[in-house]
Amino acid sequence: MTKIIRRERLVPNIHLLEVEAPEMARRCKPGQFVMLMPDERGERIPLTIADWDAEKGTVSSVFMAVGTSTQKLALLKAGDELPVYAGPLGKPAEIEKFGTVLCAGGCYGIGAIYPIVRALKEAGNTVYTLIDVKANFLMYWEERLKRYSDEFFVSSRDSFFDCKEYIPNVLEKVLQKSKLDRVISIGCTYLMYTCSEATRPKGIKTIVSLNPVMVDGTGMCGACRCTIEGRTKFACVDGPDFDGHAVDWDELFYRRKSYFEDEIRSMCYWEKESLLKE
Amino acid sequence: MADKKTELSPELKARQKAGFIEEWRKEMRKAIPVKERMKMPRQKMPEREADERNKDFEEVNLGLKAKEAVIEAKRCLDCANPQCVAGCPVGIDIPTFIKLIEAGKFSESARKLKETNSLPSICGRVCPQETQCEEVCNLKKATGVPVAIGNLERFASDVERMEGDVFIPKIPPSTGHKVAILGAGPAGLTVAGELAKKGHQITVFEALHMAGGVLVYGIPEFRLPKKILDAEIDYLRKLGVEFRMNFVVGMTATLDDLKQEGYEAFFVGTGAGLPNFMRIPGENLIGIYSANEYLTRVNLMRAYDFPKYDTPVFPGHRVAVLGGGNVAMDSVRTAKRLGAELAAIVYRRSRVEMPARIEEVHHAEEEGIEFHFLTTPTRFIGDENHKVKAMECLRMELGEPDSSGRRRPVPIEGSEFIMEVDLVVVSIGNSPNPLIGQTTPELEIGKWGNVEVDWDTMATNMEGVYAGGDIVRGGATVILAMGDARVAAGEMHKYLNGSG
Ligand SMILES: Cc1cc2nc3c(=O)[nH]c(=O)nc-3n(C[C@H](O)[C@H](O)[C@H](O)COP(=O)(O)OP(=O)(O)OC[C@H]3O[C@@H](n4cnc5c(N)ncnc54)[C@H](O)[C@@H]3O)c2cc1C
Ligand SMILES: Cc1cc2nc3c(=O)[nH]c(=O)nc-3n(C[C@H](O)[C@H](O)[C@H](O)COP(=O)(O)OP(=O)(O)OC[C@H]3O[C@@H](n4cnc5c(N)ncnc54)[C@H](O)[C@@H]3O)c2cc1C
Ligand code: SF4
Ligand code: FES
């Protein structure tokens, strides 16, 4: 059992989960993820590691409450225990001195991209950070991202930020002005896809952190298979980071939606079982 | 890679002989003449009706009753030269355990089994006896019908467990040596038990959240109930074995990290967890699972009880399972239980080449599974939602024998046809799990991704590191995994004593 140290709402629908996992905390690298189960009847789900503290022995993730597992997680509090918490899994993000790197994140990816921003800066890169939020009140971790960013951009549809744009539009604008050596994008699939498409014409290497459905997260089942340059890869062990220009996005979109009806059934059942009883 | 039967070793021969000449055995042999014994019919394993059992996940076989078990035990001729022992990969003292059943000493019989087989209640259920001990049983040579050794093995260990009479050996004082077992499959569990009994301090590191390896995520409840496995794990806990679940060696900590933490000897039992795919067009369509994914969803994650449990699985009305081994049988019978109208095995060779246990094939047939032999898919066809709706298949015929000695299937030109399916389970084998090799650069890995060992000692090229089971053999069997483990445990004990 893994003890929760903190579970707190960052912004509506997005939460921070910090757990006690000293062994893991010593080994985490940017871009890796954990597999966890919110309770004994839960599903094993992957969450990217958004931060860790080797001294304190804790590991954190940021998650968006979208379905049964994440809704269950959102109701847990400090002191509660998770029956499954395994990791760190997946290949770490490639961190080198590339030159100028733009990190693009949205929704849970704002948190998930933070260790990469930090590591890239520490490796001597010029780091541009581009964050997508639907509205200003959905922004979080702005301060800590800015600390490691040479430039900080926001794309939003909210008049609070004086830009009413989606992330690829802002990315294209940055591309016109500056020479980028690499783009790294984490967040919902659509965001990663559009970022990859935005950089494709100029051929700028774009790394995405793929999020297919997973079961074990250790290479045992093949649920997470994705097609990269025509070849099948297991995202949990061969990735999760891949070249965004080589990903078969269509396949990823439809595979992620495989269980759409079951997910709704699951949520209705769980709400009726646990929430309405009280 | 699995090896065939061997001659009895001198020690085994001596042990057999010692049991054979004991007074009670002599008397028992005299009590019923051989001719009489040979006339007794093989006791049928009681099983649930096919039509009832193919709708749920309860165990199919009910187990022999005491009366039946004693009769079955009487069929055993207690041979002077028991071939069955040579046929058993771990050399179980078969005549002695069977004669103890005949004498009504069931728990004693179970203890006899445990001298050589750490997991008899499991092996009694899943071993391919028909190609091992029962194949070479002298009674089979004489009458055509061997002693039901597997059923008796299951009987003795079930009685011991059900009567709560499980013998916990006295553990010698701690040796202070720390041993790390990587993987909680049958191989790892066996080493854990053997070395704990010697007083070493054992920690089992397991990537998943439940111990048992394939026994818990692969083999379904209807063939191996979880409570059997739970009892075995419980037994190990009582021996003082510590389990660290959700610990992925190589990721959570590497083998070298564990060495730093003071572990002196290691056993790598991480199995053959990497599923093979067909590599044909359309394989990533929705509704195409590896057998590992399908069975893990259903067994480990309990998708059969969705939505009470959160993990879903596609129900499938027309299900094709590709392959002909135990894994394929388990998958197709699972599909039937989840309500499939058509649950079919699609296998590129013919019936006789199927590697599955005969009992599973019979059970599958009774449960209404269809078999399409000499058939292989060439591509999968999806609907507008990218969900599989059909597969194109080719008919095959058998040609010359290949390297495995089985006749090679060759496609018949122009024999393409379409089979409508909405769920496909690919069950064409697994490869060794690459994680340990990738994160332990020093460890010697063979060309199939297997860990290389010295077969006499199960030692790898790294000092103090041993390996066994599917990680060295590729997909093999529970009993072979356990046999490797016992050899490794003996050597590890020697190693620890030498280094201590
Ligand atoms: C490597 C990786 C890292 C991820 N990191 C994060 C993160 O840091 N924060 C975050 O909020 N989300 C992350 N995700 C996505 C997250 O795992 C899913 O949102 C979560 O599983 C949804 O589960 P649910 O039961 O709440 O929702 P559901 O209602 O079950 O599903 C909602 C959506 O989530 C996806 N999903 C469902 N089950 C799984 C599963 N077992 N594995 C993966 N995706 C699934 C489906 O595509 C579905 O459309 C990551 C996914 C991957 C593969
Ligand atoms: C569906 C199915 C049916 C079968 N039916 C039969 C049968 O009827 N009869 C028979 O004899 N055999 C059968 N087999 C084969 C048999 O189960 C295997 O040969 C046997 O389980 C091998 O044991 P093992 O201990 O080597 O590996 P496994 O049982 O595979 O166990 C390996 C364990 O190691 C863990 N692991 C892997 N990597 C790591 C890591 N890095 N860190 C920590 N832990 C890790 C895995 O999670 C797993 O729990 C079947 C197999 C399957 C899949
Ligand atoms: S070979 Fe058959 S008859 Fe002879 S001892 Fe073994 S089980 Fe009994
Ligand atoms: S999640 Fe099972 S192989 Fe990747």
Side-chain angles (χ1 to χ4, degrees):
Chain A
M1 290 295 226
T2 299
K3 198 158 109 205
I4 296 176
I5 301 295
R6 195 147 62 107
R7 201 279 311 143
E8 118 194 342
R9 197 195 77 156
L10 296 171
V11 293
N13 238 16
I14 294 188
H15 303 253
L16 173 75
L17 175 75
E18 183 177 2
V19 307
E20 192 178 271
E23 242 138 4
M24 278 179 58
R26 268 182 262 140
R27 291 191 58 90
C28 291
K29 299 230 169 62
Q32 290 187 297
F33 65 94
V34 298
M35 290 300 298
L36 62 81
M37 223 160 95
D39 61 27
E40 297 288 350
R41 289 190 192 172
E43 190 173 6
R44 291 172 65 99
I45 63 158
L47 294 181
T48 308
I49 296 167
D51 203 3
W52 61 91
D53 184 332
E55 257 161 57
K56 222 168 94 189
T58 65
V59 178
S60 303
S61 290
V62 170
F63 67 92
M64 182 139 125
V66 292
T68 311
S69 313
T70 44
Q71 301 269 23
K72 279 178 170 179
L73 271 186
L75 292 181
L76 297 177
K77 48 192 189 312
D80 288 343
E81 292 187 322
L82 301 172
V84 172
Y85 194 85
L89 299 169
K91 294 214 165 89
E94 243 185 310
I95 304 289
E96 271 173 42
K97 186 160 178 198
F98 298 112
T100 304
V101 185
L102 183 139
C103 298
C107 69
Y108 74 80
I110 304 173
I113 209 159
Y114 167 64
I116 295 176
V117 170
R118 182 173 61 190
L120 284 170
K121 185 69 204 164
E122 284 168 354
N125 292 284
T126 301
V127 181
Y128 294 178
T129 299
L130 165 57
I131 296 303
D132 184 81
V133 286
K134 210 185 274 170
N136 83 315
F137 64 87
L138 295 174
M139 177 65 89
Y140 61 95
W141 283 19
E142 189 175 354
E143 285 317 307
R144 50 163 103 185
L145 284 166
K146 278 183 172 161
R147 210 177 305 145
Y148 295 97
S149 307
D150 294 277
E151 298 247 23
F152 191 81
F153 307 94
V154 177
S155 64
S156 177
R157 274 65 71 203
D158 184 347
S159 54
F160 175 88
F161 304 98
D162 43 56
C163 97
K164 285 207 177 47
E165 282 162 322
Y166 289 92
I167 199 161
N169 310 126
V170 180
L171 179 52
E172 271 157 18
K173 270 191 211 155
V174 177
L175 276 174
Q176 277 160 18
K177 272 197 268 165
S178 356
K179 181 186 155 295
L180 297 180
D181 296 293
R182 182 177 277 239
V183 170
I184 300 177
S185 169
I186 307 188
C188 69
T189 317
Y190 190 70
L191 180 144
M192 295 190 282
Y193 162 70
T194 50
C195 285
S196 300
E197 289 312 302
T199 57
R200 196 191 288 275
K202 290 206 163 168
I204 293 160
K205 180 109 171 167
T206 300
I207 303 296
V208 291
S209 177
L210 296 191
N211 49 10
V213 171
M214 292 188 175
V215 178
D216 62 302
T218 66
M220 181 267 271
C221 75
C224 62
R225 56 201 198 275
C226 295
T227 302
I228 313 293
E229 254 174 358
R231 265 199 287 216
T232 295
K233 298 276 176 191
F234 288 7
C236 67
V237 284
D238 300 325
D241 287 4
F242 292 103
D243 177 348
H245 299 151
V247 172
D248 181 340
W249 290 101
D250 269 354
E251 180 184 279
L252 181 64
F253 280 118
Y254 70 69
R255 282 188 68 86
R256 275 180 55 81
K257 275 192 271 178
S258 321
Y259 295 98
F260 190 69
E261 281 159 30
D262 285 331
E263 282 154 7
I264 294 170
R265 234 180 99 202
S266 164
M267 202 140 74
C268 295
Y269 177 90
W270 169 72
E271 284 206 348
K272 217 155 76 198
E273 277 286 288
S274 51
L275 291 185
L276 304 182
K277 234 188 276 168
E278 285 151 25
Chain B
M1 256 176 278
D3 37 14
K4 257 303 188 200
K5 53 192 90 85
T6 46
E7 270 289 292
L8 278 196
S9 66
E11 304 101 272
L12 222 60
K13 242 185 202 148
R15 197 190 66 195
Q16 262 353 106
K17 179 98 188 282
F20 183 76
I21 57 173
E22 276 182 33
E23 268 318 306
W24 68 274
R25 292 272 286 275
K26 280 190 197 160
E27 269 166 37
M28 196 174 269
R29 279 195 295 273
K30 258 193 265 157
I32 308 174
V34 167
K35 260 202 202 134
E36 201 91 339
R37 292 183 188 269
M38 287 189 3
K39 267 192 262 163
M40 297 178 180
R42 176 165 160 139
Q43 298 299 296
K44 211 175 158 315
M45 167 61 87
E47 52 190 39
R48 294 165 61 224
E49 284 298 320
D51 227 24
E52 170 200 322
R53 70 183 194 233
N54 68 10
K55 294 176 187 64
D56 65 33
F57 282 83
E58 307 271 311
E59 196 172 12
V60 168
N61 285 339
L62 298 168
L64 296 175
K65 305 235 168 35
K67 214 174 99 205
E68 297 157 340
V70 171
I71 300 177
E72 187 60 38
K74 284 182 181 156
R75 294 182 66 231
C76 167
L77 309 176
D78 197 6
C79 307
N81 186 9
Q83 285 305 303
C84 53
V85 181
C88 172
V90 299
I92 293 181
D93 186 349
I94 293 170
T96 305
F97 102 76
I98 293 183
K99 290 300 126 179
L100 283 166
I101 295 179
E102 185 175 336
K105 297 179 178 164
F106 304 146
S107 292
E108 226 174 286
S109 171
R111 268 161 231 167
K112 187 75 205 166
L113 276 161
K114 282 193 179 162
E115 283 176 14
T116 35
N117 180 342
S118 319
L119 307 166
S121 57
I122 290 164
C123 290
R125 287 174 165 81
V126 305
C127 272
Q129 289 94 3
E130 72 272 6
T131 61
Q132 299 180 161
C133 52
E134 295 185 21
E135 182 179 31
V136 291
C137 169
N138 290 333
L139 187 64
K140 182 178 177 186
K141 275 175 224 142
T143 68
V145 189
V147 176
I149 303 171
N151 294 350
L152 288 174
E153 178 179 25
R154 168 189 164 143
F155 168 79
S157 42
D158 278 1
V159 170
E160 188 200 30
R161 187 188 60 256
M162 284 182 312
E163 293 187 346
D165 196 14
V166 177
F167 172 69
I168 309 285
K170 219 171 152 234
I171 307 286
S174 169
T175 61
H177 292 302
K178 282 172 75 178
V179 178
I181 313 276
L182 321 187
L189 295 178
T190 302
V191 176
E194 292 300 307
L195 291 180
K197 281 192 267 182
K198 298 269 177 15
H200 302 301
Q201 195 183 322
I202 314 294
T203 311
V204 179
F205 296 92
E206 168 55 50
L208 293 173
H209 55 282
M210 281 167 87
V214 165
L215 307 180
V216 62
Y217 76 72
I219 301 182
E221 184 82 14
F222 58 81
R223 208 147 69 79
L224 179 66
K226 299 280 171 300
K227 61 173 195 284
I228 309 280
L229 188 62
D230 290 347
E232 298 297 346
I233 309 286
D234 195 48
Y235 171 76
L236 291 177
R237 286 219 162 89
K238 284 192 183 130
L239 293 181
V241 173
E242 187 202 351
F243 285 89
R244 296 282 312 272
M245 312 307 288
N246 304 308
F247 196 112
V248 188
V249 181
M251 304 306 283
T252 313
T254 61
L255 201 148
D256 285 327
D257 295 334
L258 295 176
K259 216 174 243 176
Q260 301 275 310
E261 280 178 34
Y263 289 95
E264 297 157 75
F266 298 82
F267 178 78
V268 183
T270 46
L274 187 72
N276 299 337
F277 282 92
M278 302 281 299
R279 295 168 187 260
I280 56 176
E283 202 160 22
N284 292 347
L285 288 169
I286 299 174
I288 302 182
Y289 284 128
S290 73
N292 276 3
E293 179 179 357
Y294 187 56
L295 293 170
T296 300
R297 283 183 180 274
V298 178
N299 297 326
L300 185 72
M301 306 311 296
R302 307 218 200 181
Y304 62 83
D305 214 356
F306 179 87
K308 191 166 151 199
Y309 285 79
D310 295 349
T311 305
V313 67
F314 300 126
H317 301 290
R318 295 179 58 83
V319 184
V321 175
L322 315 180
N326 286 318
V327 188
M329 293 308 140
D330 284 343
S331 302
V332 78
R333 294 172 70 197
T334 295
K336 188 81 202 173
R337 282 163 172 75
L338 292 175
E341 288 136 40
L342 169 80
I345 287 282
V346 174
Y347 183 50
R348 64 195 178 116
R349 301 179 195 250
S350 72
R351 172 179 299 261
V352 288
E353 285 92 11
M354 275 204 300
R357 294 178 77 221
I358 288 176
E359 187 185 30
E360 309 316 327
V361 179
H362 286 327
H363 280 161
E365 281 174 330
E366 288 168 6
E367 287 165 12
I369 304 302
E370 279 185 25
F371 289 80
H372 298 246
F373 295 112
L374 293 166
T375 305
T376 197
T378 48
R379 69 187 172 101
F380 301 104
I381 303 161
D383 66 11
E384 66 284 2
N385 298 316
H386 299 269
K387 186 154 195 315
V388 67
K389 64 169 186 188
M391 52 184 202
E392 186 186 82
C393 300
L394 265 183
R395 301 245 186 251
M396 315 289 275
E397 60 192 354
L398 292 178
E400 296 299 305
D402 63 13
S403 58
S404 74
R406 297 182 295 181
R407 292 176 65 195
R408 186 195 303 276
V410 279
I412 302 174
E413 237 175 275
S415 65
E416 289 87 351
F417 68 100
I418 300 285
M419 184 173 171
E420 274 177 40
V421 291
D422 61 2
L423 188 72
V424 176
V425 181
V426 183
S427 176
I428 55 167
N430 290 322
S431 303
N433 193 314
L435 203 55
I436 301 286
Q438 282 166 3
T439 55
T440 319
E442 237 184 285
L443 193 65
E444 198 188 324
I445 303 296
K447 71 171 169 191
W448 306 108
N450 55 302
V451 171
E452 291 282 358
V453 292
D454 166 359
W455 286 97
D456 292 331
T457 60
M458 303 313 285
T460 68
N461 64 316
M462 285 173 73
E463 196 191 321
V465 180
Y466 297 75
D470 283 1
I471 186 73
V472 304
R473 292 175 183 271
T477 59
V478 172
I479 191 72
L480 287 170
M482 212 169 61
D484 292 348
R486 293 183 73 95
V487 173
E491 295 295 322
M492 289 169 80
H493 180 57
K494 278 192 231 161
Y495 171 80
L496 289 166
N497 278 352
S499 73

